[in-house]
Amino acid sequence: MALNYKPELSELTLREKIGQTCQMQTAYLMNMKNMEEYLAENPIGNVWHTCNTAMATVNLADIEIDGAQPSSVYRKWTQRMTKALRIPPLFTLDGPGAAHGTDMVSLVGMPLIGAADSEELAEEYGKYLAINCKALGANSTWSPVVDIPSRFAVSGIMRASSDKPDHLVPISLAAIRGGQNNGIGMCAKHFPGKDKVEYRDSHFVCPKIRSSKEEWWAEQGKVFQDMIDGGVWSIMPGHHGFPAIDDRKVHNYYMPATLSDKIITGLLKEEMHFDGVVVTDAIEMAALKTAYPNMEDLYVALLQAGNDIVLNVKRLDYIDIIEKAVNDGRLSVERIDDAARRVIDMKAKMGLFDNPPEVEMTEEIREEIRAFNRKVAEKALVLQCDTSKQLPLDKEKIKNVAIICSTHHAPFFDGLKEMKDEFERRGINVLLQRRLSDYQEINKIAAENDLILYVSYTAPHAPMGGLGLYAEECATYFFALHDGKEKSIGVSFGSPYIYYDYCNNFETYIHAFSPTPESQKAVVGALFGEVPFEGFFPYEEPWKE
């Protein structure tokens, strides 16, 4: 049923145009017994392709989905939905890895690309991101993050490739080129950026950008303007107040950017001349719900502000709600037409009206991605310090290694089996444990091992909350160097500020920027001099102040 040509707005019904502004999660549609009947009355234009989420058993003709499945299953489902609609939908993946199917290989993230300091690798990253998306039936992604991150912000560090604009811009644009040249929609987020010292999270409150407009233009504004001038097809605003542009308040918070016509329409679309798609960040966050607790009013307000796609719609009667707002004059037909035109133009640029070919995830492609990940992981390693000249290690002298892990993300500890295996392949015995509990324990470990590795991993939303270490995970570094300091090495696979916050007294310390198997193997290789330390530290370095 999908059109094989780009339609004129005059060919579409009002409900079809409104449908282009709606983005629902996969689960809402997969769980419908009568999906085709629903879509005939509610032509939803876009889907948040949450195919990594375990779901109730769902019968989709000859497809039964119960939890995670191979990529071909999700591809088949997207084909079914596309066939039910006149206009092909956007199927968008969140997160850079896009490896949600059971047969997929996760792709490294942008922090690692930033540390590898290579536009060529960044463009190659975009290409493999496109392959991963298409294998799952997706055609777009909310990437890259181009907020200039702050070490104080929970959701800033470890998402953007750098906090240095002159480095962030070319790396991000190269990734965008790589994705868009391979047929997927890329998205620069989160407009208008973040504040340098704001640490609060819009999942819970409405943070504030304190910059003057002139200060903003000098840094974060320039970054977004460069993204626009570089041809990014969509931009995602964040739920931050920016009083220099809009000083109105709702419930004691400055108006979130996502709800501000002064920021979305006035600044982004008119002053910065962005003619692409503006897609909201997920709308269930507290920063928006505080301003508009009534979801019907929130949908309308988001479109009034100038957003073109409302992300994470949970009301199945969304099109009815917006149609009513148009009919009673709260929303103009012109605003709906503008949003629909932008979305359809983007779909045309992506080639969605040209029956784009499928990508099947094969072992050959998986190995290509693994090789790419290895290349980036090895190029990204940064040796923070080695004042005692421990490195490279002498293989003949290292017979027993203790790996002590500090993290609040249990899957990282489980995944350290890769690092353990890498040592064992060299004939080295490995003790892998989580945390230290007291001085006696480190005394015993130091007596029994030739090398002690203190590895950590903290990252945004892994789990939700702050980026620091606390309780037993933090106490590990209290006991860490009580014994065996001369044979101790610290490694961060996540936040680069673990070193500054907890490990400034380590004489040898490594930044790996990623918890992937490839990064773990690269670290082991670097310890023995097999991999050079040639990475670029892409963030602020407070230890140099």
Side-chain angles (χ1 to χ4, degrees):
M1 183 177 175
L3 294 172
N4 58 4
Y5 67 93
K6 177 187 173 186
E8 299 294 329
L9 287 178
S10 58
E11 299 178 57
L12 305 179
T13 67
L14 175 60
R15 291 182 71 83
E16 284 178 313
K17 289 186 283 190
I18 292 171
Q20 298 307 300
T21 72
C22 178
Q23 190 146 30
M24 284 186 176
Q25 283 197 38
T26 304
Y28 286 89
L29 297 162
M30 273 190 170
N31 284 315
M32 287 182 181
K33 295 180 180 178
N34 57 342
M35 182 178 73
E36 281 81 2
E37 291 177 27
Y38 172 77
L39 292 174
E41 295 295 322
N42 299 273
I44 301 303
N46 314 290
V47 176
W48 179 358
H49 202 32
T50 50
C51 49
N52 60 327
T53 308
M55 303 170 189
T57 300
V58 180
N59 240 320
L60 302 177
D62 57 335
I63 311 171
E64 187 174 273
I65 294 181
D66 187 7
Q69 296 289 321
S71 57
S72 58
V73 171
Y74 299 110
R75 216 166 50 243
K76 193 167 185 178
W77 180 80
T78 61
Q79 291 164 359
R80 177 184 165 188
M81 183 176 174
T82 300
K83 189 176 179 181
L85 292 161
R86 289 215 308 154
I87 301 173
L90 292 179
F91 293 99
T92 311
L93 287 169
D94 195 10
H100 302 311
T102 56
D103 58 340
M104 304 288 286
V105 175
S106 188
L107 191 61
V108 297
M110 285 300 286
L112 210 62
I113 301 294
D117 193 23
S118 165
E119 291 179 47
E120 182 181 348
L121 288 177
E123 192 159 348
E124 200 173 351
Y125 164 84
K127 179 187 80 170
Y128 286 116
L129 184 57
I131 288 171
N132 261 353
C133 285
K134 289 182 176 182
L136 288 158
N139 49 37
S140 53
T141 179
W142 297 309
S143 180
V145 172
V146 297
D147 303 337
I148 298 175
S150 160
R151 62 188 165 102
F152 303 106
V154 170
S155 59
I157 291 298
M158 302 313 298
R159 300 188 74 191
S161 58
S162 179
D163 65 5
K164 301 170 172 65
D166 290 344
H167 185 238
L168 172 66
V169 167
I171 294 293
S172 299
L173 285 176
I176 288 167
R177 277 196 309 275
Q180 293 183 171
N181 287 345
N182 285 278
I184 64 165
M186 301 288 282
C187 178
K189 63 182 186 183
H190 307 78
F191 186 83
K194 289 185 171 65
D195 184 77
K196 288 185 176 181
V197 297
E198 176 66 270
Y199 61 88
R200 294 175 299 167
D201 188 333
S202 55
H203 287 83
F204 311 110
V205 297
C206 183
K208 182 172 69 172
I209 299 171
R210 295 167 177 80
S211 306
S212 67
K213 188 174 181 182
E214 292 71 26
E215 290 168 336
W216 178 82
W217 264 117
E219 289 192 331
Q220 188 68 82
K222 184 180 183 304
V223 169
F224 275 104
Q225 190 66 65
D226 286 342
M227 296 300 111
I228 293 167
D229 296 344
V232 71
W233 292 341
S234 70
I235 287 179
M236 177 182 285
H239 309 320
H240 287 57
F242 189 9
I245 303 298
D246 190 345
D247 61 0
R248 292 173 293 177
K249 285 191 172 184
V250 284
H251 302 290
N252 294 319
Y253 288 121
Y254 286 107
M255 180 74 74
T258 328
L259 284 166
S260 170
D261 59 322
K262 294 181 180 181
I263 295 173
I264 303 302
T265 300
L267 179 59
L268 178 58
K269 290 186 171 181
E270 295 175 358
E271 190 171 344
M272 300 178 76
H273 305 291
F274 180 60
D275 196 42
V277 173
V278 179
V279 52
T280 73
D281 204 347
I283 62 171
E284 75 278 7
M285 296 186 198
L288 290 193
K289 288 199 296 186
T290 299
Y292 280 90
N294 182 291
M295 199 57 69
E296 294 184 22
D297 293 339
L298 177 59
Y299 294 154
V300 174
L302 288 166
L303 292 173
Q304 287 172 333
N307 295 284
D308 304 307
I309 294 178
V310 178
L311 168 59
N312 206 17
V313 169
K314 295 182 178 179
R315 288 283 296 267
L316 296 179
D317 58 346
Y318 171 88
I319 293 180
D320 295 334
I321 292 167
I322 302 304
E323 185 177 39
K324 183 174 183 293
V326 172
N327 290 336
D328 66 22
R330 284 176 293 154
L331 275 170
S332 68
V333 173
E334 289 77 17
R335 174 76 273 269
I336 299 299
D337 283 354
D338 175 60
R341 189 265 306 167
R342 288 168 179 263
V343 175
I344 290 170
D345 282 353
M346 177 172 157
K347 291 178 177 181
K349 289 176 184 175
M350 295 162 61
L352 297 192
F353 299 105
D354 303 321
N355 299 314
E358 281 187 32
V359 170
E360 183 178 350
M361 185 52 62
T362 64
E363 183 53 36
E364 181 181 2
I365 291 175
R366 283 192 289 269
E367 186 46 45
E368 275 188 44
I369 296 173
R370 292 187 193 105
F372 172 75
N373 285 349
R374 286 195 294 271
K375 181 166 56 175
V376 177
E378 291 179 359
K379 190 170 175 56
L381 292 180
V382 171
L383 181 60
Q384 174 66 45
C385 57
D386 186 26
T387 55
S388 57
K389 305 298 182 186
Q390 288 194 72
L391 301 181
L393 298 172
D394 185 340
K395 295 177 187 177
E396 300 304 315
K397 295 181 179 178
I398 305 298
K399 304 299 182 185
N400 298 286
V401 172
I403 303 174
I404 312 299
C405 173
S406 290
T407 186
H408 296 288
H409 189 57
F412 171 70
F413 176 73
D414 296 338
L416 279 173
K417 181 180 181 298
E418 296 285 347
M419 188 177 224
K420 181 175 183 288
D421 290 347
E422 195 68 12
F423 278 110
E424 290 176 342
R425 275 192 283 272
R426 290 167 169 80
I428 298 169
N429 299 313
V430 179
L431 166 69
L432 174 60
Q433 76 171 52
R434 191 166 174 182
R435 302 183 290 265
L436 289 175
S437 58
D438 55 41
Y439 293 122
Q440 289 72 33
E441 187 174 23
I442 187 55
N443 291 343
K444 184 174 186 294
I445 289 171
E448 295 175 352
N449 291 276
D450 308 304
L451 173 67
I452 308 170
L453 284 181
Y454 292 92
V455 304
S456 68
Y457 176 71
T458 64
H461 304 300
M464 186 173 281
L467 276 177
L469 295 169
Y470 56 91
E472 294 93 339
E473 309 297 343
C474 180
T476 291
Y477 289 104
F478 182 75
F479 302 119
L481 303 183
H482 176 74
D483 198 355
K485 182 175 182 177
E486 75 287 351
K487 60 177 79 172
S488 297
I489 296 175
V491 185
S492 173
F493 287 101
S495 169
Y497 295 116
I498 293 297
Y499 167 74
Y500 184 68
D501 293 342
Y502 306 99
C503 301
N504 212 210
N505 54 346
F506 273 69
E507 294 183 349
T508 305
Y509 199 89
I510 298 167
H511 300 284
F513 301 102
S514 168
T516 61
E518 293 84 3
S519 289
Q520 293 181 36
K521 293 173 183 177
V523 167
V524 176
L527 290 172
F528 292 108
E530 301 160 6
V531 175
F533 289 101
E534 54 182 356
F536 168 78
F537 195 87
Y539 304 112
E540 176 189 3
E541 298 175 79
W543 43 83
K544 289 185 176 181
E545 293 172 357

